[in-house]
């Protein structure tokens, strides 16, 4: 299976050989999609990893046990709910139906349907949608 993980490192763990450990100890294939280290030496790493589900679960336990925050990501976009005014411009742009408005006109996002075309980002006048890449 393939999954995307966003790792957030405290300043004392930014030198941790994470990808090496994922390969050698857990037999996983990590692909680094994005890496950031800020001026406080905190860091984040967006990985796509491929391997056996049990190995991925063990690796996530190892990472969390090391003090690294791990979030599993289902989609390539995030919606800033503070900015969103539920105008539905992005719904019209999303031909696949991953974005929709419910009965109360609340914006709903179904990450499993998203094909990562990024059209919704361009359609949003409030810049409330951003790519995680
Ligand atoms: S286009 Fe932007 S502001 Fe309008 S509903 Fe979509 S995310 Fe919200
Ligand atoms: S990236 Fe494309 S498929 Fe995904 S929610 Fe936006 S418009 Fe829809």
């Amino acid at each position: 299976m393939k999954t995307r993980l966003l790792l957030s490192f405290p300043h004392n763990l930014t030198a941790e050989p994470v990808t090496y450990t994922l390969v050698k100890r857990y037999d996983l294939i990590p692909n680094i999609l994005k890496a950031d280290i800020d001026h406080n030496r905190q860091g984040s790493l967006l990985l796509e990893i491929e391997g056996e589900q049990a190995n991925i679960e063990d690796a996530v336990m190892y990472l969390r046990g090391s003090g690294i925050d791990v979030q599993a990501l289902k989609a390539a976009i995030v919606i800033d709910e503070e900015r969103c005014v539920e105008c539905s411009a992005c719904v019209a742009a999303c031909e696949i139906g991953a974005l929709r408005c419910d009965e109360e006109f609340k914006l709903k996002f179904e990450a499993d349907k998203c094909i990562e075309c990024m059209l919704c980002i361009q359609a949003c006048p409030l810049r409330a949608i951003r790519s995680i890449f």
Side-chain angles (χ1 to χ4, degrees):
M1 69 174 288
K2 267 189 191 178
T3 191
R4 286 190 190 133
L5 301 176
L6 178 63
L7 312 185
S8 301
F9 299 80
H11 64 88
N12 58 324
L13 292 176
T14 50
E16 195 74 6
V18 165
T19 52
Y20 175 83
T21 305
L22 295 181
V23 173
K24 296 298 281 186
R25 195 188 298 173
Y26 297 99
D27 195 25
L28 299 174
I29 304 168
N31 179 20
I32 298 174
L33 301 175
K34 189 175 179 184
D36 280 315
I37 297 179
D38 71 17
H39 63 280
N40 293 319
R41 303 290 298 166
Q42 294 182 333
S44 66
L45 193 58
L46 178 61
L47 291 177
E48 185 171 74
I49 57 174
E50 185 172 1
E52 296 292 328
Q53 184 169 352
N55 292 356
I56 293 173
E57 289 170 1
D58 288 347
V60 169
M61 283 179 60
Y62 144 72
L63 292 166
R64 288 182 173 147
S66 303
I68 297 167
D69 182 65
V70 183
Q71 281 180 267
L73 298 177
K74 283 188 173 175
I77 62 158
V78 287
I79 300 168
D80 183 341
E81 292 181 5
E82 298 288 314
R83 285 191 173 200
C84 176
V85 294
E86 291 166 344
C87 68
S88 80
C90 58
V91 175
C94 183
E95 294 178 2
I96 206 84
L99 289 164
R100 64 179 175 84
C101 289
D102 69 9
E103 311 77 46
E104 295 172 340
F105 301 102
K106 295 279 182 196
L107 182 64
K108 299 292 175 191
F109 174 50
E110 293 179 64
D112 293 344
K113 289 185 180 176
C114 178
I115 57 169
E116 303 175 6
C117 67
M118 306 297 168
L119 292 175
C120 54
I121 292 175
Q122 297 162 31
C124 177
L126 278 295
R127 297 185 183 275
I129 307 176
R130 65 178 173 80
S131 164
I132 61 170
F133 299 115

